[in-house]
Amino acid sequence: MVPYIPHTESDRNRMLQAIGVDSIDQLFDTIPPKLRYKGLLPINEGLSEHEVIRLLQEMLKKNILGTSYLGMGSYDRIIPPTVSQLASHPTFVSAYTPYQPEISQGLLQAMFEYQSMISELTGLEISNASLYDGHTACSEAGAIMISSKRKSTTLLVSETLHPFSLSVLNTWALGTEVTLVIIPETERHTSVNTMIDSLSEEVAGVIVQSPNRYGVVENYTSLSEAVHQNKSLLTISSDPLSLLLQKTPSQWGADIAVGDTQPLGLPSAFGGPSCGYIAVSKRLMRSIPGRVVGLSTDIEGNRAYTLTLQAREQHIRRERATSNICSNQALAAITTAIHIALVGPEGLTDAATQSYDKAHYLHEQLSHITSLRVDTKSPFWCEFPLFFESKAQLDHAVSFLQHKGIYAGVRLGSLTTKKEDEATLIVAVTEKRSKEELDIYVRYMREALA
Amino acid sequence: MNTPLLIEQSVKGRRGYYYPKTDVPSYPPLPANLQRESAPQLPEISELDVVRHYTRLATKSFGVDIGFYPLGSCTMKYNPRLHSYITSWDSLTEVHPLQDESTIQGSLELLYNLTKDLSSITGMSWGTMQPLAGAHGEYTGLKIIKAYHQSRNDHKRTKVLIPVSAHGTNPATASVTGFSIVEVATDTRGLVDLESLKSLLDDEVAAIMLTNPNTLGLFESDIREIAHLVHGCGAQLYYDGANLNAIMGISRPGDMGFDVIHLNVHKTLSTPHGGGGPGAGPVLVKEHLQPFLPTPDITHNDGYYSFEWDRIQSIGKVSGFWGNFLVLVKAYTYILTMGSDGLKSASEHAVLNANYLFTLLKGAFDVPHESRCMHEFVVSAQHYKEKYGVKALDFSKALLDRNYHPPTMYFPLNVSEALMFEPPESESVEVLEEFASTMIELTELAKTNADVLRLSPHSTAVKRLDEVKAAKHPILTWREL
Amino acid sequence: MSNIPVELKYSKEHEWVRVEGDRVVVGITDYAQDSLGEIVYVELPPVGEHYKADEEIATVESVKSASPIFNPVAGVVAEVNEELDGSPELINEDSYENYLYILSDVDLNEIDQLLDSDGYAQYIATLD
């Protein structure tokens, strides 16, 4: 007997008889014999649950955990156990997309609340029920901006975006009419003036990120004004937790806000699943991709939630859809909403502020080590670059700390091709790190560089 | 029974959770002109209220864990509880995607093995686990096809052929990736019309997107001929893996002649639907398309696993990191559990279930095709609409009162008042028989008391919704900013 | 039975056209509004923009569908029907009274290529 399949021999016989065939094999007789696979697939024979657990435990012993200062889009933050417990309720987990609202009010309300929370964090009126991740969200924003301006297919993109966001945007533009113009950075900041000077009639939109790939909190003064004067749109990508402290996309005059909600309730988990968010200004409401939950009433006048604005979606627009998204990251979005509900605005501000203070503490302590350089001018939140004298020195230090159980940071050179990034380490500090851990980091770094 | 919104339960000063007190000094904050100007209005709630809120919401939802979910083309099979146990392990959740390779050998091995297994199951050479959903897999696959043609300096290929019965993501994906769509007709058998296909094939066709079995639940028995014709004009064949549950271990898309395929692990490989995701859409390709796969690839040398970044012809990245990892772990666990014998048995029983349910229901409905089906089938409620004013929608809503999730409605587009059923192999014969007798009851009710169906559901938390109001005056947040 | 006023011209994409001096008024036919069901939103083109014939110029949305409107004759958008902003259902009430937009700078020769009321009636008979 095979697990999860309840049929007995007697069940099968009864069914075959009713259908009018002699064997299950006959049910496949519309498949030409040449296409019938002979024998069994060349994969493992089925294992018992217990054996599966043991096999995986053995395999995963080769994953080595450590104290993490790794960031660049995925962060080791404190997640209350209550969050995953509530998110793993069977009717959230084993549910399909709530196309039948009458029996899905719970799921729909949870998504509606998530949308509202994203709206509050970003300051933009309309949010959807999630996209795949923060990087693909950039290309969805690009699609909105291009469809909003007739005959304009160029996007200006800051070089300070996460390298993977740039890569995803590049792939998205490949083979289409979209032209991406990367505006080079100025000392780890977006060159706002160059960007403004590059605006032209073909430019449909601009994409920037704050905090950027170097952790720098950027200044977008006069950017949105210039962008709007050019009849284009502005997208700002942000870590959602940073929005408790830094100016929101709405406050910068942005039309679209995107990012990834992993820092809010989702584990790092080797990169996924995370959850992309997108919020837009009211006038772009009908251009937002993906699923959207709205409030209405039923025929008896009761408050009721439902998927709405479906006329924009792939299953209706088909070849005229501007996005092909179908499944999104619903359960991950609900997990984020649960996290936000549990820790509340005070808790979020606390986590954001602790991340800020702890990162600045580590930054200050490291600045005393003579063979290291830090940026003392750029404002940052919880992530900052550490400049070594050479790649060799960086590799040595990272390796040294790794042997002590510390993941010191992300080698920027492993994500970009810029020569100057080879000796740069991006260090992320979250509320999860204690002063003791931070002091140990500094001590070992000193030892490594001695 | 209305559950108040979180914001309606908010009380100033109330708090659910406390972080450890900070043990570092306070630093001067961000410069004033970079600071957030006003606090977000997020709910302030106690932990118990949060727990009650979400527990109540969970009781107002329906899942496979509660009841039968015969949604056609969705493969709502049981999501083994083993999977959520395994994906709670620290050795999986506490690993950062950018950790040094030597410290992530377990996760890399898992992804490598999964890629290998999926290649074997589908008859393809290699693949990528990066796409984060089925539609994302389609996107990746079409990008690969475009890159392939361009590498051969063949820049004329701007069209993608798609049957009119295809899932909406197919034409949407073709459009998003810069192709134009040409529709292929189906014939009276319900299969791709070969004459129509021949007339459409030329040197401007980049690819054809098909699923097999198709969306009517029928096996495209001419597929080898189709592959021959499509390849003959220089185009590629794309396989939408949504219906793979019908043929695991029985037939392989690679052997049928497909060049690139995507799988929906949240359908075929039992990972949970989660209310709409996260799923995953791994893409597998034949050897000639391997160089175009997204970067990085995962390679294996003498027991050591690495990322391979140096890939000039690659289409680049399609998502941030390496895929929806925890979802992929569930798919891998499922393959380990089922194995070669179990996967074949799953497909055999899926097709058995569908044919049995079809046998029980076909007397009561119009059927577009008399022939046996594979893992899903379509019936039409057209007769009830014409004679009694009872539509496919009304049958579906009436099922809600009887604790069933309805089948897929109004798809595929070329069948009127369509109802598409897919009873996966995890459902027992008793479940099918009870469901069938409920459906028959409803058809009787349609004849004698149509209003009961037209006004249903009667016993659910809310009744039929005013969808027009929701679309006309959308309210998408709890407060207008 | 679909209402098809004799004095108008029609396109195969179910738009009607009325010539008013040197301007042309465009809307969707009774057949179209009936097929769409209750209209919830209309996306109209920006005033001042030029559109060719057969170019997608507007969208009419119902709950379950979004139909593109293809401009029947080339011209510049002179006016759009702003009443549709708050009350898109006016099109369902009377799709000839409630137009979508008005074009100026139109090549009136292109109008001759459109169907007359009989031609359109025959055409929609083939669709059902």
Side-chain angles (χ1 to χ4, degrees), chain B residues 136-155:
Chain B
H136 202 203
E138 290 176 30
Y139 165 89
T140 305
L142 287 190
K143 287 277 183 190
I144 288 173
I145 288 175
K146 190 166 258 219
Y148 166 73
H149 287 307
Q150 292 193 331
S151 76
R152 290 158 59 245
N153 277 315
D154 190 347
H155 301 289

PDB file of all heavy atoms in Angstrom, chain B residues 136-155:
ATOM      1  N   HIS B 136       5.194  31.680 -13.040  1.00  0.00           N
ATOM      2  CA  HIS B 136       6.577  32.149 -13.044  1.00  0.00           C
ATOM      3  C   HIS B 136       7.449  31.158 -13.801  1.00  0.00           C
ATOM      4  O   HIS B 136       8.400  31.523 -14.488  1.00  0.00           O
ATOM      5  CB  HIS B 136       7.058  32.318 -11.594  1.00  0.00           C
ATOM      6  CG  HIS B 136       8.204  33.250 -11.437  1.00  0.00           C
ATOM      7  ND1 HIS B 136       9.059  33.179 -10.351  1.00  0.00           N
ATOM      8  CD2 HIS B 136       8.658  34.264 -12.197  1.00  0.00           C
ATOM      9  CE1 HIS B 136       9.983  34.123 -10.458  1.00  0.00           C
ATOM     10  NE2 HIS B 136       9.764  34.800 -11.567  1.00  0.00           N
ATOM     11  N   GLY B 137       7.116  29.878 -13.687  1.00  0.00           N
ATOM     12  CA  GLY B 137       7.813  28.839 -14.450  1.00  0.00           C
ATOM     13  C   GLY B 137       7.558  29.014 -15.942  1.00  0.00           C
ATOM     14  O   GLY B 137       8.468  28.891 -16.761  1.00  0.00           O
ATOM     15  N   GLU B 138       6.328  29.333 -16.304  1.00  0.00           N
ATOM     16  CA  GLU B 138       5.990  29.578 -17.712  1.00  0.00           C
ATOM     17  C   GLU B 138       6.830  30.737 -18.237  1.00  0.00           C
ATOM     18  O   GLU B 138       7.383  30.688 -19.332  1.00  0.00           O
ATOM     19  CB  GLU B 138       4.512  29.942 -17.857  1.00  0.00           C
ATOM     20  CG  GLU B 138       3.551  28.808 -17.589  1.00  0.00           C
ATOM     21  CD  GLU B 138       2.099  29.272 -17.651  1.00  0.00           C
ATOM     22  OE1 GLU B 138       1.807  30.215 -18.406  1.00  0.00           O
ATOM     23  OE2 GLU B 138       1.266  28.685 -16.934  1.00  0.00           O
ATOM     24  N   TYR B 139       6.904  31.784 -17.431  1.00  0.00           N
ATOM     25  CA  TYR B 139       7.680  32.973 -17.786  1.00  0.00           C
ATOM     26  C   TYR B 139       9.136  32.584 -18.034  1.00  0.00           C
ATOM     27  O   TYR B 139       9.730  32.944 -19.049  1.00  0.00           O
ATOM     28  CB  TYR B 139       7.536  33.957 -16.620  1.00  0.00           C
ATOM     29  CG  TYR B 139       8.496  35.101 -16.555  1.00  0.00           C
ATOM     30  CD1 TYR B 139       8.216  36.293 -17.204  1.00  0.00           C
ATOM     31  CD2 TYR B 139       9.666  35.012 -15.807  1.00  0.00           C
ATOM     32  CE1 TYR B 139       9.089  37.376 -17.105  1.00  0.00           C
ATOM     33  CE2 TYR B 139      10.537  36.079 -15.711  1.00  0.00           C
ATOM     34  CZ  TYR B 139      10.243  37.267 -16.363  1.00  0.00           C
ATOM     35  OH  TYR B 139      11.095  38.322 -16.263  1.00  0.00           O
ATOM     36  N   THR B 140       9.688  31.802 -17.125  1.00  0.00           N
ATOM     37  CA  THR B 140      11.071  31.364 -17.240  1.00  0.00           C
ATOM     38  C   THR B 140      11.256  30.535 -18.504  1.00  0.00           C
ATOM     39  O   THR B 140      12.206  30.729 -19.265  1.00  0.00           O
ATOM     40  CB  THR B 140      11.465  30.531 -16.009  1.00  0.00           C
ATOM     41  OG1 THR B 140      11.214  31.294 -14.837  1.00  0.00           O
ATOM     42  CG2 THR B 140      12.925  30.127 -16.054  1.00  0.00           C
ATOM     43  N   GLY B 141      10.346  29.616 -18.742  1.00  0.00           N
ATOM     44  CA  GLY B 141      10.425  28.741 -19.909  1.00  0.00           C
ATOM     45  C   GLY B 141      10.387  29.513 -21.217  1.00  0.00           C
ATOM     46  O   GLY B 141      11.164  29.243 -22.141  1.00  0.00           O
ATOM     47  N   LEU B 142       9.514  30.489 -21.311  1.00  0.00           N
ATOM     48  CA  LEU B 142       9.427  31.267 -22.557  1.00  0.00           C
ATOM     49  C   LEU B 142      10.655  32.160 -22.744  1.00  0.00           C
ATOM     50  O   LEU B 142      11.119  32.368 -23.866  1.00  0.00           O
ATOM     51  CB  LEU B 142       8.143  32.094 -22.602  1.00  0.00           C
ATOM     52  CG  LEU B 142       6.856  31.304 -22.848  1.00  0.00           C
ATOM     53  CD1 LEU B 142       5.693  32.259 -23.110  1.00  0.00           C
ATOM     54  CD2 LEU B 142       6.974  30.343 -23.997  1.00  0.00           C
ATOM     55  N   LYS B 143      11.199  32.660 -21.654  1.00  0.00           N
ATOM     56  CA  LYS B 143      12.433  33.447 -21.746  1.00  0.00           C
ATOM     57  C   LYS B 143      13.562  32.568 -22.278  1.00  0.00           C
ATOM     58  O   LYS B 143      14.390  33.006 -23.078  1.00  0.00           O
ATOM     59  CB  LYS B 143      12.833  34.002 -20.368  1.00  0.00           C
ATOM     60  CG  LYS B 143      11.964  35.136 -19.868  1.00  0.00           C
ATOM     61  CD  LYS B 143      12.388  36.471 -20.454  1.00  0.00           C
ATOM     62  CE  LYS B 143      11.556  37.611 -19.891  1.00  0.00           C
ATOM     63  NZ  LYS B 143      11.773  38.871 -20.588  1.00  0.00           N
ATOM     64  N   ILE B 144      13.593  31.323 -21.814  1.00  0.00           N
ATOM     65  CA  ILE B 144      14.614  30.383 -22.267  1.00  0.00           C
ATOM     66  C   ILE B 144      14.460  30.129 -23.763  1.00  0.00           C
ATOM     67  O   ILE B 144      15.433  30.127 -24.518  1.00  0.00           O
ATOM     68  CB  ILE B 144      14.528  29.055 -21.466  1.00  0.00           C
ATOM     69  CG1 ILE B 144      15.036  29.268 -20.040  1.00  0.00           C
ATOM     70  CG2 ILE B 144      15.300  27.933 -22.163  1.00  0.00           C
ATOM     71  CD1 ILE B 144      14.850  28.074 -19.122  1.00  0.00           C
ATOM     72  N   ILE B 145      13.236  29.937 -24.206  1.00  0.00           N
ATOM     73  CA  ILE B 145      12.983  29.690 -25.623  1.00  0.00           C
ATOM     74  C   ILE B 145      13.407  30.897 -26.452  1.00  0.00           C
ATOM     75  O   ILE B 145      14.026  30.765 -27.508  1.00  0.00           O
ATOM     76  CB  ILE B 145      11.496  29.356 -25.856  1.00  0.00           C
ATOM     77  CG1 ILE B 145      11.197  27.961 -25.305  1.00  0.00           C
ATOM     78  CG2 ILE B 145      11.136  29.440 -27.341  1.00  0.00           C
ATOM     79  CD1 ILE B 145       9.736  27.564 -25.360  1.00  0.00           C
ATOM     80  N   LYS B 146      13.085  32.081 -25.984  1.00  0.00           N
ATOM     81  CA  LYS B 146      13.475  33.296 -26.706  1.00  0.00           C
ATOM     82  C   LYS B 146      14.993  33.383 -26.800  1.00  0.00           C
ATOM     83  O   LYS B 146      15.540  33.670 -27.864  1.00  0.00           O
ATOM     84  CB  LYS B 146      12.904  34.523 -26.006  1.00  0.00           C
ATOM     85  CG  LYS B 146      13.073  35.799 -26.831  1.00  0.00           C
ATOM     86  CD  LYS B 146      12.216  36.917 -26.304  1.00  0.00           C
ATOM     87  CE  LYS B 146      10.986  37.092 -27.152  1.00  0.00           C
ATOM     88  NZ  LYS B 146      10.577  38.474 -27.369  1.00  0.00           N
ATOM     89  N   ALA B 147      15.668  33.131 -25.709  1.00  0.00           N
ATOM     90  CA  ALA B 147      17.133  33.201 -25.701  1.00  0.00           C
ATOM     91  C   ALA B 147      17.719  32.175 -26.650  1.00  0.00           C
ATOM     92  O   ALA B 147      18.707  32.430 -27.353  1.00  0.00           O
ATOM     93  CB  ALA B 147      17.649  32.974 -24.280  1.00  0.00           C
ATOM     94  N   TYR B 148      17.112  31.005 -26.695  1.00  0.00           N
ATOM     95  CA  TYR B 148      17.572  29.942 -27.591  1.00  0.00           C
ATOM     96  C   TYR B 148      17.507  30.384 -29.050  1.00  0.00           C
ATOM     97  O   TYR B 148      18.481  30.260 -29.791  1.00  0.00           O
ATOM     98  CB  TYR B 148      16.716  28.701 -27.356  1.00  0.00           C
ATOM     99  CG  TYR B 148      16.831  27.634 -28.425  1.00  0.00           C
ATOM    100  CD1 TYR B 148      17.982  26.858 -28.521  1.00  0.00           C
ATOM    101  CD2 TYR B 148      15.797  27.416 -29.331  1.00  0.00           C
ATOM    102  CE1 TYR B 148      18.087  25.878 -29.504  1.00  0.00           C
ATOM    103  CE2 TYR B 148      15.898  26.452 -30.305  1.00  0.00           C
ATOM    104  CZ  TYR B 148      17.041  25.681 -30.396  1.00  0.00           C
ATOM    105  OH  TYR B 148      17.139  24.732 -31.372  1.00  0.00           O
ATOM    106  N   HIS B 149      16.347  30.924 -29.458  1.00  0.00           N
ATOM    107  CA  HIS B 149      16.216  31.367 -30.847  1.00  0.00           C
ATOM    108  C   HIS B 149      17.205  32.478 -31.155  1.00  0.00           C
ATOM    109  O   HIS B 149      17.816  32.501 -32.220  1.00  0.00           O
ATOM    110  CB  HIS B 149      14.786  31.838 -31.133  1.00  0.00           C
ATOM    111  CG  HIS B 149      13.794  30.717 -31.214  1.00  0.00           C
ATOM    112  ND1 HIS B 149      13.956  29.623 -32.024  1.00  0.00           N
ATOM    113  CD2 HIS B 149      12.622  30.535 -30.573  1.00  0.00           C
ATOM    114  CE1 HIS B 149      12.921  28.809 -31.886  1.00  0.00           C
ATOM    115  NE2 HIS B 149      12.093  29.337 -31.008  1.00  0.00           N
ATOM    116  N   GLN B 150      17.357  33.404 -30.216  1.00  0.00           N
ATOM    117  CA  GLN B 150      18.271  34.518 -30.457  1.00  0.00           C
ATOM    118  C   GLN B 150      19.711  34.047 -30.556  1.00  0.00           C
ATOM    119  O   GLN B 150      20.498  34.601 -31.315  1.00  0.00           O
ATOM    120  CB  GLN B 150      18.104  35.576 -29.369  1.00  0.00           C
ATOM    121  CG  GLN B 150      16.740  36.226 -29.510  1.00  0.00           C
ATOM    122  CD  GLN B 150      16.569  37.477 -28.700  1.00  0.00           C
ATOM    123  OE1 GLN B 150      17.191  37.638 -27.657  1.00  0.00           O
ATOM    124  NE2 GLN B 150      15.731  38.375 -29.174  1.00  0.00           N
ATOM    125  N   SER B 151      20.044  32.989 -29.825  1.00  0.00           N
ATOM    126  CA  SER B 151      21.415  32.481 -29.883  1.00  0.00           C
ATOM    127  C   SER B 151      21.707  31.893 -31.259  1.00  0.00           C
ATOM    128  O   SER B 151      22.863  31.807 -31.669  1.00  0.00           O
ATOM    129  CB  SER B 151      21.633  31.415 -28.811  1.00  0.00           C
ATOM    130  OG  SER B 151      21.026  30.201 -29.208  1.00  0.00           O
ATOM    131  N   ARG B 152      20.666  31.475 -31.953  1.00  0.00           N
ATOM    132  CA  ARG B 152      20.836  30.937 -33.293  1.00  0.00           C
ATOM    133  C   ARG B 152      20.648  32.036 -34.339  1.00  0.00           C
ATOM    134  O   ARG B 152      20.480  31.751 -35.521  1.00  0.00           O
ATOM    135  CB  ARG B 152      19.821  29.813 -33.538  1.00  0.00           C
ATOM    136  CG  ARG B 152      20.130  28.573 -32.742  1.00  0.00           C
ATOM    137  CD  ARG B 152      18.884  27.695 -32.550  1.00  0.00           C
ATOM    138  NE  ARG B 152      18.314  27.282 -33.810  1.00  0.00           N
ATOM    139  CZ  ARG B 152      17.117  27.650 -34.247  1.00  0.00           C
ATOM    140  NH1 ARG B 152      16.347  28.444 -33.526  1.00  0.00           N
ATOM    141  NH2 ARG B 152      16.669  27.226 -35.425  1.00  0.00           N
ATOM    142  N   ASN B 153      20.624  33.282 -33.885  1.00  0.00           N
ATOM    143  CA  ASN B 153      20.403  34.442 -34.747  1.00  0.00           C
ATOM    144  C   ASN B 153      19.075  34.383 -35.489  1.00  0.00           C
ATOM    145  O   ASN B 153      18.943  34.901 -36.584  1.00  0.00           O
ATOM    146  CB  ASN B 153      21.541  34.589 -35.762  1.00  0.00           C
ATOM    147  CG  ASN B 153      22.696  35.296 -35.109  1.00  0.00           C
ATOM    148  OD1 ASN B 153      22.498  36.294 -34.415  1.00  0.00           O
ATOM    149  ND2 ASN B 153      23.888  34.774 -35.285  1.00  0.00           N
ATOM    150  N   ASP B 154      18.108  33.735 -34.885  1.00  0.00           N
ATOM    151  CA  ASP B 154      16.790  33.620 -35.501  1.00  0.00           C
ATOM    152  C   ASP B 154      15.886  34.624 -34.803  1.00  0.00           C
ATOM    153  O   ASP B 154      15.283  34.320 -33.786  1.00  0.00           O
ATOM    154  CB  ASP B 154      16.295  32.177 -35.293  1.00  0.00           C
ATOM    155  CG  ASP B 154      15.051  31.882 -36.106  1.00  0.00           C
ATOM    156  OD1 ASP B 154      14.428  32.830 -36.621  1.00  0.00           O
ATOM    157  OD2 ASP B 154      14.709  30.690 -36.210  1.00  0.00           O
ATOM    158  N   HIS B 155      15.808  35.830 -35.355  1.00  0.00           N
ATOM    159  CA  HIS B 155      15.096  36.898 -34.662  1.00  0.00           C
ATOM    160  C   HIS B 155      13.668  37.093 -35.136  1.00  0.00           C
ATOM    161  O   HIS B 155      12.984  38.010 -34.724  1.00  0.00           O
ATOM    162  CB  HIS B 155      15.879  38.218 -34.806  1.00  0.00           C
ATOM    163  CG  HIS B 155      17.262  38.114 -34.257  1.00  0.00           C
ATOM    164  ND1 HIS B 155      17.520  38.020 -32.900  1.00  0.00           N
ATOM    165  CD2 HIS B 155      18.466  38.044 -34.872  1.00  0.00           C
ATOM    166  CE1 HIS B 155      18.830  37.909 -32.722  1.00  0.00           C
ATOM    167  NE2 HIS B 155      19.425  37.927 -33.885  1.00  0.00           N
TER     168      HIS B 155
END
